[in-house]
Amino acid sequence: MAIREILTVPNPLLKQVSEPVAGVDDELRALMDDMLETMYDAPGIGLAAIQIGAPKRVIVMDLAREGEEKQPRYFVNPEIVWRSEETSGYEEGCLSVPEYYDEVQRPSKVKIRYLNYRGEAIEEDAEGLYAVCIQHEMDHLDGVLFIDHLSRLKREQAVKKVKKLKAA
Ligand code: ZN
């Protein structure tokens, strides 16, 4: 396993639409292992492959709280098959937009379909932080960042802040 560099805004790769993967093999598992290690090191609760420069529809996540046992989750070719009409707001952050947080409204509940680490097809309901995180990460697969849900002014402020942070 290896810790990879996390791309930050305004890196144009983050706007790229990621490609579905053909299947879960050892090479893909090695990528997911690297992604998980990179996410834990950051630290963060979710990471999409494009954030380390790999344009594949792959996500890792761990929503365990500090002190709890780790609960790594892996999502290959995830799809949202149902969204609730009800929405909730959550103050989001992103490893690609470090040190910037703002509230985003998203459907409160979703039903998702994906392949797991072993390549098994899973269908699952998500709500609460899980629903927020999976929707945030799935946006990355389509080249969308959480700041794209904000006003243009806020988005520009966020990018400016990150540029300054990176230059320091
Ligand atoms: Zn993110």
Side-chain angles (χ1 to χ4, degrees):
M1 292 211 277
I3 293 170
R4 312 272 204 102
E5 188 197 344
I6 297 175
L7 308 179
T8 56
V9 286
N11 190 309
L13 270 177
L14 293 168
K15 306 303 283 177
Q16 192 174 324
V17 176
S18 295
E19 294 288 330
V21 299
V24 181
D25 56 13
D26 286 343
E27 197 184 327
L28 190 73
R29 275 188 280 267
L31 172 69
M32 292 195 280
D33 291 344
D34 281 359
M35 286 169 64
L36 195 75
E37 196 180 0
T38 303
M39 182 190 82
Y40 283 144
D41 177 69
I45 60 172
L47 188 76
I50 193 65
Q51 292 181 274
I52 59 165
K56 296 177 193 288
R57 301 188 81 83
V58 177
I59 290 164
V60 297
M61 191 185 297
D62 190 333
L63 303 176
R65 294 205 184 83
E66 220 184 307
E68 283 180 351
E69 204 179 316
K70 285 185 165 50
Q71 292 162 23
R73 303 180 200 221
Y74 308 86
F75 305 86
V76 177
N77 297 339
E79 288 173 78
I80 293 179
V81 295
W82 175 82
R83 299 171 164 81
S84 65
E85 271 174 42
E86 187 199 349
T87 63
S88 322
Y90 189 86
E91 179 133 306
E92 298 188 19
C94 180
L95 294 175
S96 294
V97 193
E99 295 185 29
Y100 186 85
Y101 304 89
D102 213 327
E103 189 181 296
V104 177
Q105 286 283 335
R106 299 184 188 272
S108 310
K109 295 178 186 172
V110 290
K111 187 185 279 293
I112 54 169
R113 234 179 248 157
Y114 61 95
L115 301 177
N116 67 11
Y117 194 78
R118 292 189 293 273
E120 298 158 336
I122 310 281
E123 190 170 290
E124 219 164 50
D125 293 313
E127 59 182 315
L129 181 58
Y130 185 20
V132 172
C133 197
I134 193 69
Q135 291 179 83
H136 173 120
E137 298 308 329
M138 285 183 63
D139 269 357
H140 277 298
L141 307 184
D142 293 322
V144 175
L145 297 164
F146 84 98
I147 54 173
D148 293 328
H149 294 285
L150 307 175
S151 68
R152 203 178 103 187
L153 180 68
K154 283 184 170 182
R155 188 160 58 245
E156 285 170 359
Q157 280 171 344
V159 173
K160 206 183 279 178
K161 192 175 166 190
V162 173
K163 275 183 174 167
K164 205 185 256 179
L165 193 75
K166 288 282 146 182

